Amino acid sequence: MIISIISTVLRPMNKSRTTTVTEFVLLGFPGSWETQVVLFSLLLVIYILTLLGNGAIICAVTWDQRLHTPMYTLLGNFSFLEIWYVSSTVPNMLASFLSKTKAISFSGCFLQFYFFFSLGTTECLFLAVMAYDRYLAICCPLHYPTIMTGRHCATLVSLCWLAGFLGYPVLIFLISQLPYCGSNIIDHFLCDMDPLMALSCAPAPITELVFYTQSSLVLFLSITYILTSYTLVLRAVLQVPSAAGRRKAFSTCGSHLTVVSLFYGTVMVMYVSPTYGIPTLMQKIVTLVYSVMTPFLNPLIYSLRNKDMRCALKTVLYGMRSSQRS
């Protein structure tokens, strides 16, 4: 319902701007038909495993009473976010591999653009909140139960979703109203800022500046907060006299830091460092890492490095097998 409303709003207003482009062509990863089938099969397997892995974490957090804590509540919401994040690009990529035209409608392109950036911003905020949770748990253990209550955790989760989805609609709407009257070919597998601005017939320096300033602020502020939090966490962990205590703290923080490194490392290559010197194929691969591979690897990282999560997943799987047998 919401998508159809947005679509109808985008198209008529753009027609009033004498826009002649009605669809875009996403080249994706070009190659022979056999190559397209292989890429389709590989991506489909990764997508299914991503849905299953993140879905398993959501089920474990929901059904296992031992995981009804702020840390795992955040992890469950993060896995839910990852399912939507990967779904904003992969289904269209799968259809494109088997399509001869590789076309995406004008409205569909900008809707993908909006959801991709909104969900990406929400992910940055979630990672910062998860770092805040670990900082409180390790550096302020006595005050942690009174500060990170269920209500406070729910408020932080809600703010992440709201801030992520309210940050870009106006900017992306303005970009959608630019005249696109020339080529409609995008040498990428998704609708992104740079290729869309390159196809526009009229410059919009203010909109472009505001967009990149906002994106850079989200990235830098969140990663700065995360690094500061974990610097304090590391200092506190090194002061723990018990070796077992240090190992447990490093285990829970190590998973989060691994995810942060994968996500922010590749995102900053695309949106902070200049991309004009990077080959187009490399830009596609880097985008593929943080948009597809990171959501795919997250369940593995969290389940393999976290004992409580491994036990909960075993309980969930055992319960599913028992119900099927009965």
Side-chain angles (χ1 to χ4, degrees), residues 22-219:
T22 59
E23 64 181 17
F24 294 100
V25 176
L26 295 173
L27 294 182
F29 295 92
S32 63
W33 172 250
E34 290 76 12
T35 302
Q36 298 296 300
V37 171
V38 171
L39 292 174
F40 171 85
S41 304
L42 179 61
L43 189 62
L44 179 62
V45 170
I46 291 175
Y47 182 55
I48 292 173
L49 291 177
T50 301
L51 298 183
L52 291 176
N54 285 286
I57 288 180
I58 295 172
C59 292
V61 172
T62 303
W63 295 341
D64 196 316
Q65 295 292 328
R66 294 170 298 177
L67 301 186
H68 289 183
T69 63
M71 182 180 81
Y72 291 108
T73 298
L74 291 171
L75 179 56
N77 276 274
F78 186 71
S79 294
F80 179 73
L81 166 67
E82 293 292 63
I83 289 175
W84 284 102
Y85 187 49
V86 74
S87 297
S88 68
T89 56
V90 171
N92 185 74
M93 288 173 62
L94 291 172
S96 180
F97 281 129
L98 302 182
S99 170
K100 292 183 178 180
T101 62
K102 299 184 181 298
I104 182 172
S105 68
F106 187 95
S107 300
C109 182
F110 279 95
L111 285 173
Q112 183 190 65
F113 184 24
Y114 168 69
F115 282 109
F116 182 70
F117 268 87
S118 296
L119 291 165
T121 300
T122 305
E123 179 154 349
C124 291
L125 299 177
F126 257 111
L127 290 172
V129 170
M130 292 167 77
Y132 169 68
D133 174 74
R134 290 300 82 205
Y135 163 76
L136 288 178
I138 295 173
C139 298
C140 310
L142 298 179
H143 299 287
Y144 179 75
T146 58
I147 297 176
M148 188 58 77
T149 60
R151 183 175 181 179
H152 185 51
C153 182
T155 300
L156 291 174
V157 168
S158 301
L159 287 175
C160 287
W161 284 103
L162 285 173
F165 276 86
L166 295 179
Y168 288 98
V170 174
L171 288 172
I172 292 179
F173 177 77
L174 292 175
I175 296 170
S176 73
Q177 299 308 299
L178 294 174
Y180 294 90
C181 49
S183 173
N184 67 337
I185 297 176
I186 298 177
D187 192 6
H188 211 315
F189 60 81
L190 55 82
C191 294
D192 205 351
M193 180 65 174
D194 284 342
L196 285 172
M197 293 304 296
L199 295 181
S200 172
C201 301
I206 296 178
T207 303
E208 197 169 356
L209 176 63
V210 172
F211 184 92
Y212 280 115
T213 300
Q214 180 175 313
S215 301
S216 298
L217 280 175
V218 170
L219 285 172

Side-chain angles (χ1 to χ4, degrees), residues 215-226 264 268 272:
S215 301
S216 298
L217 280 175
V218 170
L219 285 172
F220 278 118
L221 290 178
S222 57
I223 191 61
T224 300
Y225 181 82
I226 291 170
Y264 277 96
M268 286 192 169
V272 177

Side-chain angles (χ1 to χ4, degrees), residues 285-301:
I285 293 173
V286 171
T287 305
L288 196 68
V289 170
Y290 71 79
S291 64
V292 178
M293 294 308 298
T294 301
F296 167 67
L297 293 173
N298 283 352
L300 296 175
I301 294 170

